[in-house]
Amino acid sequence: MQGHLRRSRIANNKVNDMSYTKRFDGRKFDETRKMEAKAGVISRADGSAYFKIGDTVAYATVYGPRDLYPRFMQNPEKGILRVNYNMMPFSGSGERVRPGGNRRSRELSMVIEKALLPVVELEEFPNSVIDIFIDLPETDAGTRCAGICAASIALADAGITMKDMVAAVSVGRVDDKIVVDLNYDEEAYEDGPVADVPVAMMPRTEQITLLQMDGEITKEELMQGIQYAKKVCKDINAVQRQALKEKYQNGGSDE
Amino acid sequence: MSELLVQDKTIVVPGEELAAGIDYLPAVGTYRDKDKIIASRLGLLAVEGRALKVIPLTGRYMPKKGDTIIGRVIDVAFSGWRIDTNSAYPAMLSLKDATSEYIQRGADLTRYYDIGDYTVSIIVNVTSQKLIDVSMKGQGLRKLVGGRIIKVNPHKVPRIIGKQGSMVSMIKQYTDCRVVVGQNGVVWIQGTPEKELLAVNTIRKIETESHVPGLTERIKEYLEASGARPSAPQQDSQ
């Protein structure tokens, strides 16, 4: 999508040896990009959050539990969770993203919903719905992970009962190195095999709620990546907690 | 050997470990995982003897039996009215609980309460499926005419009312407004337009500053700085 500009940049970075010795942005291999989080950024919503990791920015808004229509979707046993993932038209670094849903956004909405479902206690809200809207004004890979992190803060901000928060990060392999939190340049690396593995988990128990994989990776490398993810998710969770505590120590009003 | 991992009255987030050891008991907003007590929602930790609970600071109103709420009539049926409770679930106000008047069969129910009217009612029952029954028989339960409606965080309602209604009666005295605070976070205010506005601003101030100590004093100062003078205490419901 981003085309030839990226490619030439990557080519310049390479000095003809066959390994990825240094990351494009100078990070350590198990280091995430700079993170920033804030709770309560949208005052009309029941809960909201902002989560930024590197150049990927996610806003999550939570509405509900609220009345669910159409009626046939209601579940008398427990409430339902509805997630809407949306990349804004100007969010990419290349061409304009066509607004509205597409195949990709529907799939991501679904996987994010499934990643959050194990923690949210929906039995308390029969026949109702909790709506989560994730909007991405700026993207540089890792959007589903940033979306999950933001959504998790927003759910807690909305006062919803949940077993734990969910933290997510992508790990993977670029050439012969196992890396954490790939950016777009690394995902688009062309001089060797790349694998991108988004992982979401409950940081306290290390139970995994989302694990996807795109690319080629060996079992050993994958296990190594997941080990990295476990450590990093705890750091992400600390950022999430900090965001919530900051808001509520100051009385809990939205901005 | 049980120990508290977080201090009493601190803000906790879901998934935070509150205590280790089996001597502590999980109450509202917490759960036990093996020998640990974990917070399951965001709020203020309250240690009550051996029980640990989390007092919620945010979130939508959850209907509870015995709450006095302000609701809007959203539908008129044969047997009563449907009322929006500012939560995920509407409430039912049946004919026999609606007024002390005799309502003839087949009477036009909109003569009593029409769609869009606001009423003060009390929740008499909530089922597991969150079907809510409300009643309007009782002191202070009535239709609200005129005035304005504002919505506040339902978890801040106790602060707006104050101890034994001290805060709300202060607002009433200083602004000469009639004020009814519903447990569901809906507040009705009636007075002259300027005074109504002052009452609204005062309530908003209580909402944002409820965590800072000395709230009553500050609100009193605020009201006086706004040029309001207390009138004789009025006898109003609530």
Side-chain angles (χ1 to χ4, degrees):
Chain A
M1 183 171 64
Q2 264 72 5
H4 53 275
L5 266 177
R6 293 273 186 175
R7 220 161 290 152
S8 60
R9 223 174 111 188
I10 292 162
N12 290 338
N13 220 302
K14 285 276 301 169
V15 203
N16 267 346
D17 59 57
M18 261 312 287
S19 84
Y20 186 58
T21 49
K22 195 165 178 287
R23 294 184 81 167
F24 293 130
D25 51 10
R27 274 183 286 158
K28 280 184 251 156
F29 289 104
D30 61 347
E31 191 184 345
T32 63
R33 289 170 283 176
K34 202 170 162 289
M35 288 181 280
E36 215 181 295
K38 224 181 236 176
V41 288
I42 292 153
S43 57
R44 297 285 293 183
D46 291 311
S48 59
Y50 159 89
F51 187 84
K52 178 176 157 93
I53 183 159
D55 286 333
T56 300
V57 176
Y59 280 92
T61 31
V62 171
Y63 295 89
R66 61 181 178 184
D67 221 359
L68 171 59
Y69 289 102
R71 197 107 192 209
F72 68 83
M73 280 177 76
Q74 291 187 354
N75 182 351
E77 280 179 6
K78 57 177 193 170
I80 68 165
L81 192 65
R82 234 174 3 188
V83 177
N84 184 39
Y85 166 101
N86 177 38
M87 237 164 101
M88 289 180 171
F90 46 82
S91 62
S93 40
E95 234 136 84
R96 179 179 123 99
V97 181
R98 256 191 90 142
N102 53 35
R103 203 217 94 251
R104 181 174 172 274
S105 72
R106 279 180 59 170
E107 179 188 320
L108 287 175
S109 301
M110 194 269 277
V111 297
I112 292 171
E113 181 195 312
K114 298 278 186 263
L116 293 169
L117 216 48
V119 299
V120 184
E121 310 230 339
L122 293 165
E123 287 76 13
E124 286 182 30
F125 323 113
N127 290 324
S128 67
V129 62
I130 296 171
D131 273 314
I132 306 175
F133 296 92
I134 295 167
D135 286 281
L136 299 140
E138 209 180 322
T139 61
D140 183 25
T143 56
R144 80 196 68 185
C145 295
I148 290 170
C149 293
S152 169
I153 305 173
L155 280 169
D157 182 37
I160 285 158
T161 314
M162 50 209 283
K163 273 219 286 275
D164 198 349
M165 309 239 307
V166 182
V169 74
S170 70
V171 293
R173 158 222 199 173
V174 178
D175 216 345
D176 57 343
K177 293 292 190 306
I178 308 294
V179 294
V180 165
D181 189 25
L182 288 81
N183 62 17
Y184 186 80
D185 286 342
E186 289 176 320
E187 264 185 13
Y189 187 82
E190 287 195 330
D191 301 316
V194 175
D196 176 25
V197 183
V199 185
M201 65 172 82
M202 303 180 209
R204 197 180 67 82
T205 53
E206 298 183 345
Q207 283 171 294
I208 291 171
T209 66
L210 168 77
L211 184 64
Q212 288 183 295
M213 207 265 287
D214 181 16
E216 290 168 41
I217 196 165
T218 64
K219 187 182 167 192
E220 289 70 33
E221 286 170 327
L222 178 65
M223 294 319 283
Q224 177 62 46
I226 291 173
Q227 286 311 316
Y228 279 160
K230 283 182 181 171
K231 188 188 144 284
V232 167
C233 280
K234 293 205 164 138
D235 300 341
I236 295 174
N237 189 230
V239 174
Q240 292 175 314
R241 287 182 178 190
Q242 189 55 35
L244 287 164
K245 291 193 175 180
E246 257 166 35
K247 176 183 167 188
Y248 286 95
Q249 252 137 28
N250 298 322
S253 306
D254 285 330
E255 287 180 355
Chain B
M1 63 158 263
S2 298
E3 58 163 338
L4 214 54
L5 301 173
V6 185
Q7 267 192 327
D8 192 14
K9 300 276 175 273
T10 47
I11 288 150
V12 295
V13 298
E16 196 165 339
E17 295 178 348
L18 304 178
I22 49 160
D23 288 344
Y24 284 103
L25 302 169
V28 211
T30 60
Y31 68 96
R32 175 184 292 288
D33 182 28
K34 299 201 186 81
D35 66 333
K36 297 253 172 64
I37 307 265
I38 318 290
S40 62
R41 65 177 300 171
L42 189 140
L44 222 48
L45 175 66
V47 183
E48 288 175 3
R50 292 169 61 202
L52 300 182
K53 68 176 188 181
V54 174
I55 301 164
L57 295 169
T58 137
R60 285 228 159 174
Y61 172 68
M62 261 296 156
K64 207 165 87 260
K65 189 177 168 180
D67 279 1
T68 304
I69 61 165
I70 296 179
R72 187 168 51 92
V73 177
I74 48 172
D75 197 6
V76 186
F78 265 120
S79 55
W81 296 263
R82 236 148 55 90
I83 289 178
D84 173 51
T85 57
N86 196 31
S87 75
Y89 308 96
M92 206 57 208
L93 173 65
S94 72
L95 268 187
K96 69 172 173 37
D97 294 326
T99 63
S100 46
E101 272 175 65
Y102 173 70
I103 302 175
Q104 198 148 32
R105 274 188 69 181
D108 178 17
L109 295 188
T110 57
R111 277 182 43 216
Y112 300 92
Y113 311 115
D114 201 354
I115 291 174
D117 287 349
Y118 279 90
T119 62
V120 190
S121 54
I122 187 163
I123 297 181
V124 288
N125 198 14
V126 183
T127 70
S128 65
Q129 290 306 301
K130 307 282 180 194
L131 297 173
I132 309 164
D133 275 330
V134 291
S135 166
M136 286 185 62
K137 278 184 176 167
Q139 205 202 343
L141 306 180
R142 61 199 160 94
K143 181 165 129 180
L144 297 170
V145 186
R148 64 175 78 194
I149 292 282
I150 60 165
K151 284 186 180 173
V152 299
N153 179 346
H155 302 282
K156 300 270 169 90
V157 165
R159 309 310 301 270
I160 294 166
I161 294 174
K163 286 198 180 100
Q164 275 106 48
S166 58
M167 192 72 87
V168 76
S169 48
M170 185 166 80
I171 297 172
K172 283 178 189 171
Q173 273 177 39
Y174 274 87
T175 62
D176 285 321
C177 286
R178 299 166 78 195
V179 181
V180 180
V181 185
Q183 228 99 55
N184 59 340
V186 183
V187 183
W188 174 79
I189 300 156
Q190 190 199 39
T192 62
E194 300 77 30
K195 296 282 179 69
E196 270 183 16
L197 204 61
L198 176 60
V200 171
N201 291 338
T202 313
I203 289 169
R204 292 274 174 244
K205 195 174 163 69
I206 297 171
E207 222 188 338
T208 51
E209 296 179 14
S210 64
H211 63 294
V212 188
L215 183 66
T216 316
E217 274 312 300
R218 244 170 323 113
I219 295 303
K220 195 170 185 173
E221 275 166 31
Y222 173 77
L223 283 165
E224 276 167 3
S226 312
R229 290 291 164 265
S231 61
Q234 44 175 294
Q235 286 301 312
D236 202 335
S237 54
Q238 269 235 344

